[in-house]
Structure formats: structure tokens, C-alpha cells
């Protein structure tokens, strides 16, 4: 009996540190990492229940039938992702170049030019590009790129500037070239700030992409504009909820990538 009691005591004692260790690890997880997917799940389940239990008119069914709705969602995602890839390929290399000593004097000029896209109304940009390039997918992508380039460009510049120069000098002192220092020291330390800019741009693009419906590019904005034009509240609500769900999902996935890519010890 004594040995059994001792064994039970050892098991309880070993389980207690395990539980406390799990609680410590859970406490270190940022609240948005687990709270945001809960919100997405609740809203998503609510939308599915509403969708399956709602009777749509013939006009509403033309847009809300699952094959048409799936096509609209995929078109919106494709538009957003293509614009994101283009803007990342432009903004991050440009931001890196503008932090180099020889080109640093161009920094205010480039940021002010990129700021024009944010200052101008998104619909105005799309209309201007439509006069130049016509309607369609490519015009919508170009307008979205101009509108979303500033957050990534600015965060790339800020992230690289925040890297401790003593760390850069130490890397150069042990024989690293400028390019190797950039790849192995500066960029890894700037990753959290840069990826935060990418997340911001993604959320902006998801919302702004709804305006592409005005220039002939299919997106979830088609549901919203149709709902407003024909006074069909169900289409309007469905489009708004789907855009919100897509924005929150992309923001959460971006947050996970940001945490995974951030080197240990870097806040």
C-alpha cells in the first residue's frame, strides 16, 4: 500500500509541472493567434446556417447558388493574391534599395510618390486606370497595386532602419559582405516589421478589391453592388460578411506566417 501511495504521489508531482509548463506556453501565445480564428469560426458557422435556411428569390439565386458563389469567391481571392504578389515584388526590393547608403537620399521622394496611392480614393484610381487601359482584371490589379504599395514599402524601410548598426558592423567585421549581411543579418531582424506591412496590405487589398466590380473584374463586390442596385438586402449582407471573413482569415494566416518567420529572441 505504501509503495502504491508513493507511486501515485510521484505521478501527481510529475503531472503538475507538465500542466504548469503547458499553461506557461499557452500564456506566451499572443491572444490574436487563438481569438481571431474563434471569431472566424463563429461568424462562418452563422453564415452557413443562414445560407442553408434562407429562401432566395430567382434573382438572388443567380448570384447565391453555390457554383456561382464559389466562382465569385475564387475570383476575389485570385485578384487579391495576384495584386499582393506584384506589390510585394515591387515594394520589398525597392524598400531594401532605399535603405542602402547610396540611395538613401531618394527615400522621401519614393515614399511621397507611394503615398499618392493611399491619399487618392481607390475608386478614383481604378477609374483613371480604366481610361488608360480599359476595363478588366489587369486594370484592377494595377489599381490595387498602386493603392497597397505604401504599407509594405514603408515597413520594409522602417524594419531595416531599426536593425542595430552595431550588429551590422559586427557582421562586416567577421568578413561578411554587404549582400551576405543583408540576407543573414538585416532581413531576418526586420522580418516582423516587413511581414506586418504585408498583412496590412493584404487586408487593404481584400476590402478594396470589392471596388473592381465597377470596372468589369468579378469580385465579392458584385454581390454588394447588385444588392444595393436592386435593393436585395440578402445579397448585400452576404457579400459584406464574406469579405469580412476573407479579410480576417487572411490576416490570421499572415499572423501565423509572421510568428513562424520571426527569429527566436526577436519581439
Amino acid at each position: 500500500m505504501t509503495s502504491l501511495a508513493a507511486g501515485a504521489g510521484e505521478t501527481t508531482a510529475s503531472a503538475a509541472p507538465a500542466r504548469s509548463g503547458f499553461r506557461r506556453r499557452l500564456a506566451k501565445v499572443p491572444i490574436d493567434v487563438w481569438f481571431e480564428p474563434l471569431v472566424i469560426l463563429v461568424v462562418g458557422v452563422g453564415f452557413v446556417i443562414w445560407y442553408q435556411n434562407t429562401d432566395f428569390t430567382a434573382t438572388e439565386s443567380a448570384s447565391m447558388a453555390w457554383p456561382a458563389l464559389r466562382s465569385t469567391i475564387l475570383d476575389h481571392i485570385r485578384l487579391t493574391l495576384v495584386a499582393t504578389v506584384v506589390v510585394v515584388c515591387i515594394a520589398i526590393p525597392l524598400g531594401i534599395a532605399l535603405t542602402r547608403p547610396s540611395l538613401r537620399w531618394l527615400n522621401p521622394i519614393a515614399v511621397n510618390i507611394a503615398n499618392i496611392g493611399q491619399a487618392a480614393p481607390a475608386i478614383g484610381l481604378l477609374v483613371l486606370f480604366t481610361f488608360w487601359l480599359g476595363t478588366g482584371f489587369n486594370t484592377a490589379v494595377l489599381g490595387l497595386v498602386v493603392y497597397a504599395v505604401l504599407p509594405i514599402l514603408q515597413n520594409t524601410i522602417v524594419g531595416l532602419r531599426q536593425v542595430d548598426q552595431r550588429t551590422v558592423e559586427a557582421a562586416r567585421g567577421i568578413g561578411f559582405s554587404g549582400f551576405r549581411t543583408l540576407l543573414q543579418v538585416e532581413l531576418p531582424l526586420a522580418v516582423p516589421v516587413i511581414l506586418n506591412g504585408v498583412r496590412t496590405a493584404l487586408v487593404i487589398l481584400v476590402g478594396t478589391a470589392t471596388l473592381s466590380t465597377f470596372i468589369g473584374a468579378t469580385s465579392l463586390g458584385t454581390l454588394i453592388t447588385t444588392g444595393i442596385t436592386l435593393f436585395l438586402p440578402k445579397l448585400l449582407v452576404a457579400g459584406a460578411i464574406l469579405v469580412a471573413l476573407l479579410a480576417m482569415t487572411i490576416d490570421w494566416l499572415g499572423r501565423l506566417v509572421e510568428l513562424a518567420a520571426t527569429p527566436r529572441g526577436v519581439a
Side-chain angles (χ1 to χ4, degrees):
M1 291 293 292
T2 303
S3 61
L4 288 175
E10 291 175 359
T11 303
T12 305
S14 61
R19 286 195 297 269
S20 61
F22 175 76
R23 291 195 190 99
R24 283 195 298 269
R25 289 194 298 271
L26 188 61
K28 291 180 181 178
V29 177
I31 188 171
D32 58 327
V33 173
W34 59 265
F35 183 73
E36 194 168 14
L38 287 179
V39 175
I40 294 169
L41 181 63
V42 170
V43 176
V45 170
F47 176 79
V48 171
I49 294 173
W50 172 82
Y51 178 81
Q52 292 180 339
N53 292 277
T54 300
D55 294 326
F56 298 107
T57 64
T59 303
E60 292 168 339
S61 296
S63 299
M64 290 297 293
W66 174 240
L69 187 61
R70 179 183 59 190
S71 177
T72 303
I73 294 172
L74 292 177
D75 285 340
H76 193 103
I77 293 173
R78 183 167 68 97
L79 180 61
T80 301
L81 291 182
V82 170
T84 301
V85 170
V86 174
V87 76
V88 164
C89 291
I90 293 172
I92 292 181
L94 180 60
I96 293 171
L98 291 173
T99 58
R100 302 305 95 186
S102 60
L103 295 177
R104 199 166 290 169
W105 63 276
L106 287 173
N107 196 326
I109 299 173
V111 171
N112 284 327
I113 292 174
N115 193 44
I116 294 174
Q118 284 282 305
I123 187 64
L125 282 176
L126 292 173
V127 170
L128 288 175
F129 285 125
T130 300
F131 286 135
W132 176 30
L133 300 172
T135 60
F137 181 84
N138 293 334
T139 304
V141 168
L142 181 59
L144 292 175
V145 167
V146 173
Y147 195 69
V149 71
L150 181 64
I152 302 179
L153 175 63
Q154 204 162 37
N155 277 45
T156 302
I157 294 171
V158 170
L160 289 171
R161 279 182 174 176
Q162 287 181 350
V163 176
D164 193 340
Q165 287 303 306
R166 291 173 296 181
T167 306
V168 176
E169 292 169 4
R172 298 303 299 271
I174 61 175
F176 280 21
S177 65
F179 184 69
R180 187 178 179 186
T181 302
L182 173 66
L183 289 183
Q184 297 187 5
V185 178
E186 295 182 72
L187 283 177
L189 292 175
V191 156
V193 181
I194 295 174
L195 288 182
N196 188 267
V198 175
R199 284 176 59 206
T200 302
L202 272 168
V203 174
I204 290 173
L205 287 171
V206 170
T208 310
T210 58
L211 300 175
S212 65
T213 186
F214 292 110
I215 61 169
T218 305
S219 69
L220 288 169
T222 305
L223 298 179
I224 297 174
T225 54
T226 303
I228 294 173
T229 305
L230 301 180
F231 193 66
L232 298 173
K234 294 175 184 177
L235 288 185
L236 175 60
V237 170
I241 291 176
L242 288 173
V243 170
L245 282 173
L246 186 58
M248 288 191 294
T249 301
I250 288 179
D251 180 69
W252 177 63
L253 293 175
R255 177 61 169 151
L256 294 182
V257 172
E258 182 182 331
L259 287 176
T262 301
R264 291 186 179 181
V266 178

